[in-house]
Amino acid sequence: MDPTSNPLDRLLEISELFRADMARAFEGTGLTAARTHLLWVLAGLGPSPQQALAGAMGVSARNITGLVDALEAAGYVKRSPHPTDRRATIVSLTDAGEVTMSDMARDHANLSTNLLDAVDPADRAALSRGLDAIATRLRALIQEEADAAAVIR
Amino acid sequence: MDPTSNPLDRLLEISELFRADMARAFEGTGLTAARTHLLWVLAGLGPSPQQALAGAMGVSARNITGLVDALEAAGYVKRSPHPTDRRATIVSLTDAGEVTMSDMARDHANLSTNLLDAVDPADRAALSRGLDAIATRLRALIQEEADAAAVIR
DNA sequence: TATTGTTATACTCTATAACTATA
DNA sequence: TATAGTTATAGAGTATAACAATA
């Protein structure tokens, strides 16, 4: 992860830079990476019960309770009763939350454009294909490992 | 971070896959991402006082105390007195820690090779150049933001 | 007076298990 | 009997502040 700067290491460096930059950007907003992830998922799904969010994010229901508590206190989301199932709670973005999400989507798009602009136009298609190939191979390797682990169990 | 699969989003997806895969690989080893990061830094610097590790990792001294406690209990590192400064503690890899790190370096190299092999040879140079350009631009943007924040202060 | 590492305290993310209210 | 969400409890990573020993 540190030395011998091959493309993979550079890729990991870039993701580190993203992470650090995000953490800095959240200062004073009441947001964190985990809370923002929930907002992205919620923006994608639309108003959802907490169980659906837990499934979509791959975390425990207990975790969702905590994240929604914090986001509700900060004014980004609200809870309302499920119309037919009285056990369930529907989480949705507040108006302020909607504004925050469209700002974020805009910033994200601008950053993408800005970073792509730094790449030689002649290299862009190959970059895209290369990243696709790496992601596909990596997904396959992880699947293999999961299958191997399942056999052991 | 979720939809519209442009190269940047694919890049973030790849880093997510790495992270999830690593977490799985650590099960039962007593290691975590943060502890492994310390081991990488320590392997790079050689035996070091905790302050040096804190500086190199960009975290607080308190945090290093906790990570070294855990790594020492698991047998990966040991503490010894600094030869001349009696305030300081020197952290170094144990024999078991050295073995773990060379295994990890080997696995990391194999994975890099494996993933690069998935990329069309004709695309590899452009991929490398593209990632370099993106990393450079991103570093510059972060520096700009840091400078702007410094002016405000 | 400044620095090294630790203790004290606190916040966030995460998990499992037990419990309540409902299906 | 099963499911949705909460409370209880716990562990990991992180931070700041106060403190002891040493420079």
Side-chain angles (χ1 to χ4, degrees):
Chain A
M1 284 96 161
D2 275 333
T4 59
S5 189
N6 66 46
L8 274 303
D9 291 322
R10 222 164 291 140
L11 204 149
L12 292 172
E13 184 205 346
I14 291 169
S15 84
E16 269 313 295
L17 288 172
F18 267 115
R19 202 119 49 95
D21 186 44
M22 241 189 303
R24 201 201 43 68
F26 290 149
E27 277 169 23
T29 63
L31 290 176
T32 63
R35 291 173 196 171
T36 304
H37 184 197
L38 191 151
L39 291 181
W40 275 105
V41 170
L42 186 55
L45 295 178
S48 310
Q50 298 186 186
Q51 283 293 334
L53 297 174
M57 293 176 64
V59 300
S60 66
R62 175 61 185 92
N63 199 344
I64 299 294
T65 298
L67 295 174
V68 171
D69 284 351
L71 288 166
E72 198 176 28
Y76 294 101
V77 306
K78 57 177 185 287
R79 284 177 164 107
S80 38
H82 189 289
T84 63
D85 185 341
R86 288 197 301 177
R87 295 170 306 180
T89 307
I90 300 292
V91 182
S92 48
L93 290 171
T94 59
D95 291 348
E98 296 277 10
V99 170
T100 299
M101 291 316 291
S102 48
D103 287 354
M104 261 197 231
R106 187 204 55 213
D107 291 347
H108 180 68
N110 287 345
L111 180 60
S112 288
T113 303
N114 192 330
L115 293 179
L116 250 315
D117 279 350
V119 177
D120 185 332
D123 286 342
R124 287 177 197 163
L127 172 68
S128 204
R129 279 193 302 270
L131 289 175
D132 262 344
I134 287 171
T136 301
R137 172 67 60 92
L138 187 52
R139 272 186 235 108
L141 289 173
I142 290 171
Q143 190 56 51
E144 272 174 37
E145 283 167 8
D147 291 348
V151 168
I152 291 167
R153 252 182 271 126
Chain B
M1 289 94 163
D2 275 332
T4 61
S5 191
N6 65 46
L8 273 304
D9 291 321
R10 224 163 290 141
L11 205 148
L12 291 173
E13 185 206 346
I14 292 170
S15 85
E16 270 312 297
L17 289 172
F18 268 116
R19 202 118 49 97
D21 186 44
M22 242 189 303
R24 200 201 43 68
F26 290 150
E27 277 169 23
T29 64
L31 290 176
T32 62
R35 292 172 194 172
T36 303
H37 184 197
L38 191 152
L39 291 180
W40 274 105
V41 169
L42 187 55
L45 293 179
S48 310
Q50 296 186 190
Q51 282 295 333
L53 297 173
M57 293 175 65
V59 301
S60 66
R62 175 62 185 90
N63 199 345
I64 299 294
T65 296
L67 296 174
V68 172
D69 284 350
L71 288 167
E72 198 176 28
Y76 293 102
V77 306
K78 57 178 184 289
R79 284 178 165 107
S80 37
H82 189 290
T84 63
D85 186 340
R86 289 197 302 177
R87 294 171 305 181
T89 307
I90 299 294
V91 181
S92 48
L93 290 171
T94 59
D95 291 347
E98 296 277 9
V99 170
T100 300
M101 290 317 291
S102 49
D103 287 354
M104 261 198 230
R106 186 204 56 212
D107 291 347
H108 180 68
N110 287 345
L111 180 60
S112 288
T113 302
N114 192 329
L115 294 179
L116 250 316
D117 279 350
V119 178
D120 185 333
D123 287 343
R124 287 177 196 163
L127 172 68
S128 203
R129 279 194 302 269
L131 290 175
D132 261 345
I134 286 170
T136 301
R137 172 66 61 93
L138 187 51
R139 272 185 235 108
L141 288 173
I142 289 172
Q143 189 57 50
E144 271 174 37
E145 283 167 7
D147 291 348
V151 168
I152 291 165
R153 250 181 275 127

